[in-house]
Amino acid sequence: VSSKMEGGLFIWKDKLYRLEVDRDDYSYTSLVIKNHDTNEEIFRFANNYGLASIMVYQNKIICIATKDWIQKGESKSKIKLFILDSPNSIEMSYVIKEAPRDELYFNTSIDYDDENKEFVIAYEFRKIKAYWDPFSIKFMTSKKLDDWQDKGSVMYPNKYAACPTVRKYGEYY
């Protein structure tokens, strides 16, 4: 397994940065922001979170990531939002969704819908009941990053539909 998985690129004040998910033997260790051109590590945060997505909106860096673990047969999976005021400083962070005890959360994607003036998250989930249950994708929206609403839609509930990337095209996501 590669030690650098998932993440993304973003531009902050005319510099290109890279978010990496640092992993060790299938366990998340942290999220890492690096200067993309020099590979210099700028900031390490979000211990035990992974499968992240990142964007810049109104001079804030918005990052979401998941924990996808099981304890005593029940999910302890979460999606957490991190708002950074620079590539090396967290302004605030909080859990925006906790999984029901029978679901696990994995990959995430975040974007902003200018037309509807809301943030949109696509997140990958699967039921715990069987290891090879297919991954499906659910959606959430928020006007201000603090009032997340499940959209109730599931993409391909009985098929493998992993690694969501959410983008808006016309009236569709």
PDB file of all heavy atoms in Angstrom, residues 3-21:
ATOM      1  N   SER A   3       2.038   4.835   0.969  1.00  0.00           N
ATOM      2  CA  SER A   3       1.848   5.597   2.205  1.00  0.00           C
ATOM      3  C   SER A   3       1.185   6.942   1.941  1.00  0.00           C
ATOM      4  O   SER A   3       0.800   7.639   2.861  1.00  0.00           O
ATOM      5  CB  SER A   3       3.189   5.800   2.909  1.00  0.00           C
ATOM      6  OG  SER A   3       4.022   6.603   2.107  1.00  0.00           O
ATOM      7  N   LYS A   4       1.068   7.337   0.693  1.00  0.00           N
ATOM      8  CA  LYS A   4       0.435   8.609   0.340  1.00  0.00           C
ATOM      9  C   LYS A   4      -0.738   8.317  -0.578  1.00  0.00           C
ATOM     10  O   LYS A   4      -0.565   7.946  -1.733  1.00  0.00           O
ATOM     11  CB  LYS A   4       1.419   9.534  -0.380  1.00  0.00           C
ATOM     12  CG  LYS A   4       2.716   9.742   0.381  1.00  0.00           C
ATOM     13  CD  LYS A   4       2.487  10.465   1.687  1.00  0.00           C
ATOM     14  CE  LYS A   4       3.775  10.681   2.413  1.00  0.00           C
ATOM     15  NZ  LYS A   4       3.848  10.107   3.719  1.00  0.00           N
ATOM     16  N   MET A   5      -1.944   8.450  -0.031  1.00  0.00           N
ATOM     17  CA  MET A   5      -3.139   8.128  -0.804  1.00  0.00           C
ATOM     18  C   MET A   5      -4.200   9.187  -0.579  1.00  0.00           C
ATOM     19  O   MET A   5      -4.198   9.862   0.434  1.00  0.00           O
ATOM     20  CB  MET A   5      -3.681   6.767  -0.380  1.00  0.00           C
ATOM     21  CG  MET A   5      -2.697   5.642  -0.594  1.00  0.00           C
ATOM     22  SD  MET A   5      -3.384   4.075  -0.106  1.00  0.00           S
ATOM     23  CE  MET A   5      -4.576   3.832  -1.403  1.00  0.00           C
ATOM     24  N   GLU A   6      -5.123   9.289  -1.500  1.00  0.00           N
ATOM     25  CA  GLU A   6      -6.232  10.204  -1.424  1.00  0.00           C
ATOM     26  C   GLU A   6      -5.753  11.632  -1.138  1.00  0.00           C
ATOM     27  O   GLU A   6      -4.658  11.846  -0.704  1.00  0.00           O
ATOM     28  CB  GLU A   6      -7.252   9.765  -0.365  1.00  0.00           C
ATOM     29  CG  GLU A   6      -7.912   8.444  -0.653  1.00  0.00           C
ATOM     30  CD  GLU A   6      -7.191   7.267  -0.015  1.00  0.00           C
ATOM     31  OE1 GLU A   6      -6.355   7.468   0.869  1.00  0.00           O
ATOM     32  OE2 GLU A   6      -7.483   6.128  -0.406  1.00  0.00           O
ATOM     33  N   GLY A   7      -6.596  12.591  -1.380  1.00  0.00           N
ATOM     34  CA  GLY A   7      -6.217  13.977  -1.143  1.00  0.00           C
ATOM     35  C   GLY A   7      -6.534  14.818  -2.358  1.00  0.00           C
ATOM     36  O   GLY A   7      -7.458  14.532  -3.093  1.00  0.00           O
ATOM     37  N   GLY A   8      -5.739  15.862  -2.589  1.00  0.00           N
ATOM     38  CA  GLY A   8      -5.990  16.709  -3.741  1.00  0.00           C
ATOM     39  C   GLY A   8      -5.098  17.931  -3.764  1.00  0.00           C
ATOM     40  O   GLY A   8      -4.357  18.206  -2.819  1.00  0.00           O
ATOM     41  N   LEU A   9      -5.171  18.641  -4.870  1.00  0.00           N
ATOM     42  CA  LEU A   9      -4.400  19.864  -5.059  1.00  0.00           C
ATOM     43  C   LEU A   9      -5.295  21.077  -4.802  1.00  0.00           C
ATOM     44  O   LEU A   9      -6.506  21.023  -5.027  1.00  0.00           O
ATOM     45  CB  LEU A   9      -3.876  19.938  -6.490  1.00  0.00           C
ATOM     46  CG  LEU A   9      -2.922  18.812  -6.911  1.00  0.00           C
ATOM     47  CD1 LEU A   9      -2.660  18.900  -8.403  1.00  0.00           C
ATOM     48  CD2 LEU A   9      -1.635  18.899  -6.139  1.00  0.00           C
ATOM     49  N   PHE A  10      -4.676  22.164  -4.339  1.00  0.00           N
ATOM     50  CA  PHE A  10      -5.405  23.411  -4.187  1.00  0.00           C
ATOM     51  C   PHE A  10      -4.426  24.575  -4.307  1.00  0.00           C
ATOM     52  O   PHE A  10      -3.228  24.420  -4.085  1.00  0.00           O
ATOM     53  CB  PHE A  10      -6.192  23.470  -2.867  1.00  0.00           C
ATOM     54  CG  PHE A  10      -5.345  23.488  -1.620  1.00  0.00           C
ATOM     55  CD1 PHE A  10      -5.063  24.678  -0.971  1.00  0.00           C
ATOM     56  CD2 PHE A  10      -4.851  22.313  -1.087  1.00  0.00           C
ATOM     57  CE1 PHE A  10      -4.295  24.699   0.192  1.00  0.00           C
ATOM     58  CE2 PHE A  10      -4.085  22.312   0.074  1.00  0.00           C
ATOM     59  CZ  PHE A  10      -3.804  23.510   0.710  1.00  0.00           C
ATOM     60  N   ILE A  11      -4.955  25.729  -4.701  1.00  0.00           N
ATOM     61  CA  ILE A  11      -4.132  26.936  -4.839  1.00  0.00           C
ATOM     62  C   ILE A  11      -4.484  27.878  -3.699  1.00  0.00           C
ATOM     63  O   ILE A  11      -5.657  28.166  -3.448  1.00  0.00           O
ATOM     64  CB  ILE A  11      -4.373  27.614  -6.199  1.00  0.00           C
ATOM     65  CG1 ILE A  11      -3.934  26.667  -7.324  1.00  0.00           C
ATOM     66  CG2 ILE A  11      -3.639  28.944  -6.277  1.00  0.00           C
ATOM     67  CD1 ILE A  11      -4.318  27.124  -8.708  1.00  0.00           C
ATOM     68  N   TRP A  12      -3.449  28.364  -3.013  1.00  0.00           N
ATOM     69  CA  TRP A  12      -3.612  29.314  -1.920  1.00  0.00           C
ATOM     70  C   TRP A  12      -2.644  30.462  -2.162  1.00  0.00           C
ATOM     71  O   TRP A  12      -1.441  30.262  -2.192  1.00  0.00           O
ATOM     72  CB  TRP A  12      -3.331  28.638  -0.577  1.00  0.00           C
ATOM     73  CG  TRP A  12      -3.449  29.562   0.588  1.00  0.00           C
ATOM     74  CD1 TRP A  12      -2.425  30.145   1.271  1.00  0.00           C
ATOM     75  CD2 TRP A  12      -4.649  30.029   1.200  1.00  0.00           C
ATOM     76  NE1 TRP A  12      -2.912  30.942   2.263  1.00  0.00           N
ATOM     77  CE2 TRP A  12      -4.289  30.884   2.245  1.00  0.00           C
ATOM     78  CE3 TRP A  12      -6.002  29.798   0.953  1.00  0.00           C
ATOM     79  CZ2 TRP A  12      -5.214  31.514   3.050  1.00  0.00           C
ATOM     80  CZ3 TRP A  12      -6.924  30.429   1.748  1.00  0.00           C
ATOM     81  CH2 TRP A  12      -6.538  31.266   2.788  1.00  0.00           C
ATOM     82  N   LYS A  13      -3.191  31.654  -2.362  1.00  0.00           N
ATOM     83  CA  LYS A  13      -2.385  32.858  -2.603  1.00  0.00           C
ATOM     84  C   LYS A  13      -1.304  32.606  -3.665  1.00  0.00           C
ATOM     85  O   LYS A  13      -0.124  32.837  -3.443  1.00  0.00           O
ATOM     86  CB  LYS A  13      -1.797  33.366  -1.297  1.00  0.00           C
ATOM     87  CG  LYS A  13      -2.909  33.754  -0.327  1.00  0.00           C
ATOM     88  CD  LYS A  13      -2.422  34.537   0.843  1.00  0.00           C
ATOM     89  CE  LYS A  13      -3.641  34.908   1.670  1.00  0.00           C
ATOM     90  NZ  LYS A  13      -3.369  35.638   2.840  1.00  0.00           N
ATOM     91  N   ASP A  14      -1.751  32.113  -4.809  1.00  0.00           N
ATOM     92  CA  ASP A  14      -0.924  31.886  -6.004  1.00  0.00           C
ATOM     93  C   ASP A  14       0.135  30.794  -5.850  1.00  0.00           C
ATOM     94  O   ASP A  14       1.046  30.711  -6.664  1.00  0.00           O
ATOM     95  CB  ASP A  14      -0.261  33.181  -6.475  1.00  0.00           C
ATOM     96  CG  ASP A  14      -1.281  34.226  -6.886  1.00  0.00           C
ATOM     97  OD1 ASP A  14      -2.331  33.844  -7.452  1.00  0.00           O
ATOM     98  OD2 ASP A  14      -1.045  35.415  -6.627  1.00  0.00           O
ATOM     99  N   LYS A  15       0.040  29.952  -4.830  1.00  0.00           N
ATOM    100  CA  LYS A  15       0.952  28.818  -4.677  1.00  0.00           C
ATOM    101  C   LYS A  15       0.146  27.533  -4.733  1.00  0.00           C
ATOM    102  O   LYS A  15      -0.960  27.457  -4.200  1.00  0.00           O
ATOM    103  CB  LYS A  15       1.697  28.867  -3.341  1.00  0.00           C
ATOM    104  CG  LYS A  15       2.777  29.896  -3.275  1.00  0.00           C
ATOM    105  CD  LYS A  15       3.561  29.729  -1.987  1.00  0.00           C
ATOM    106  CE  LYS A  15       4.633  30.805  -1.878  1.00  0.00           C
ATOM    107  NZ  LYS A  15       5.326  30.733  -0.593  1.00  0.00           N
ATOM    108  N   LEU A  16       0.737  26.521  -5.358  1.00  0.00           N
ATOM    109  CA  LEU A  16       0.089  25.220  -5.477  1.00  0.00           C
ATOM    110  C   LEU A  16       0.475  24.345  -4.283  1.00  0.00           C
ATOM    111  O   LEU A  16       1.658  24.175  -3.985  1.00  0.00           O
ATOM    112  CB  LEU A  16       0.500  24.549  -6.784  1.00  0.00           C
ATOM    113  CG  LEU A  16      -0.163  23.215  -7.112  1.00  0.00           C
ATOM    114  CD1 LEU A  16      -1.682  23.372  -7.224  1.00  0.00           C
ATOM    115  CD2 LEU A  16       0.415  22.657  -8.410  1.00  0.00           C
ATOM    116  N   TYR A  17      -0.540  23.812  -3.608  1.00  0.00           N
ATOM    117  CA  TYR A  17      -0.340  22.933  -2.458  1.00  0.00           C
ATOM    118  C   TYR A  17      -0.994  21.584  -2.742  1.00  0.00           C
ATOM    119  O   TYR A  17      -1.859  21.466  -3.618  1.00  0.00           O
ATOM    120  CB  TYR A  17      -0.966  23.532  -1.194  1.00  0.00           C
ATOM    121  CG  TYR A  17      -0.252  24.762  -0.703  1.00  0.00           C
ATOM    122  CD1 TYR A  17      -0.637  26.023  -1.142  1.00  0.00           C
ATOM    123  CD2 TYR A  17       0.803  24.666   0.199  1.00  0.00           C
ATOM    124  CE1 TYR A  17       0.016  27.164  -0.695  1.00  0.00           C
ATOM    125  CE2 TYR A  17       1.457  25.805   0.647  1.00  0.00           C
ATOM    126  CZ  TYR A  17       1.061  27.042   0.198  1.00  0.00           C
ATOM    127  OH  TYR A  17       1.705  28.169   0.635  1.00  0.00           O
ATOM    128  N   ARG A  18      -0.597  20.601  -1.962  1.00  0.00           N
ATOM    129  CA  ARG A  18      -1.121  19.251  -2.112  1.00  0.00           C
ATOM    130  C   ARG A  18      -1.539  18.719  -0.738  1.00  0.00           C
ATOM    131  O   ARG A  18      -0.780  18.808   0.226  1.00  0.00           O
ATOM    132  CB  ARG A  18      -0.043  18.354  -2.718  1.00  0.00           C
ATOM    133  CG  ARG A  18      -0.437  16.929  -2.961  1.00  0.00           C
ATOM    134  CD  ARG A  18       0.666  16.131  -3.664  1.00  0.00           C
ATOM    135  NE  ARG A  18       1.833  15.925  -2.827  1.00  0.00           N
ATOM    136  CZ  ARG A  18       3.046  16.439  -3.074  1.00  0.00           C
ATOM    137  NH1 ARG A  18       3.253  17.193  -4.132  1.00  0.00           N
ATOM    138  NH2 ARG A  18       4.059  16.195  -2.267  1.00  0.00           N
ATOM    139  N   LEU A  19      -2.738  18.185  -0.666  1.00  0.00           N
ATOM    140  CA  LEU A  19      -3.192  17.486   0.535  1.00  0.00           C
ATOM    141  C   LEU A  19      -2.942  16.000   0.320  1.00  0.00           C
ATOM    142  O   LEU A  19      -3.349  15.436  -0.696  1.00  0.00           O
ATOM    143  CB  LEU A  19      -4.685  17.716   0.773  1.00  0.00           C
ATOM    144  CG  LEU A  19      -5.285  16.916   1.933  1.00  0.00           C
ATOM    145  CD1 LEU A  19      -4.788  17.463   3.275  1.00  0.00           C
ATOM    146  CD2 LEU A  19      -6.802  16.935   1.867  1.00  0.00           C
ATOM    147  N   GLU A  20      -2.267  15.388   1.265  1.00  0.00           N
ATOM    148  CA  GLU A  20      -2.023  13.951   1.217  1.00  0.00           C
ATOM    149  C   GLU A  20      -2.624  13.308   2.458  1.00  0.00           C
ATOM    150  O   GLU A  20      -2.670  13.922   3.525  1.00  0.00           O
ATOM    151  CB  GLU A  20      -0.526  13.633   1.199  1.00  0.00           C
ATOM    152  CG  GLU A  20       0.183  14.084  -0.043  1.00  0.00           C
ATOM    153  CD  GLU A  20       1.670  13.747  -0.026  1.00  0.00           C
ATOM    154  OE1 GLU A  20       2.185  13.299   1.027  1.00  0.00           O
ATOM    155  OE2 GLU A  20       2.309  13.942  -1.066  1.00  0.00           O
ATOM    156  N   VAL A  21      -3.073  12.089   2.299  1.00  0.00           N
ATOM    157  CA  VAL A  21      -3.512  11.292   3.436  1.00  0.00           C
ATOM    158  C   VAL A  21      -2.377  10.329   3.746  1.00  0.00           C
ATOM    159  O   VAL A  21      -2.028   9.481   2.932  1.00  0.00           O
ATOM    160  CB  VAL A  21      -4.811  10.526   3.120  1.00  0.00           C
ATOM    161  CG1 VAL A  21      -5.200   9.634   4.286  1.00  0.00           C
ATOM    162  CG2 VAL A  21      -5.921  11.506   2.782  1.00  0.00           C
TER     163      VAL A  21
END
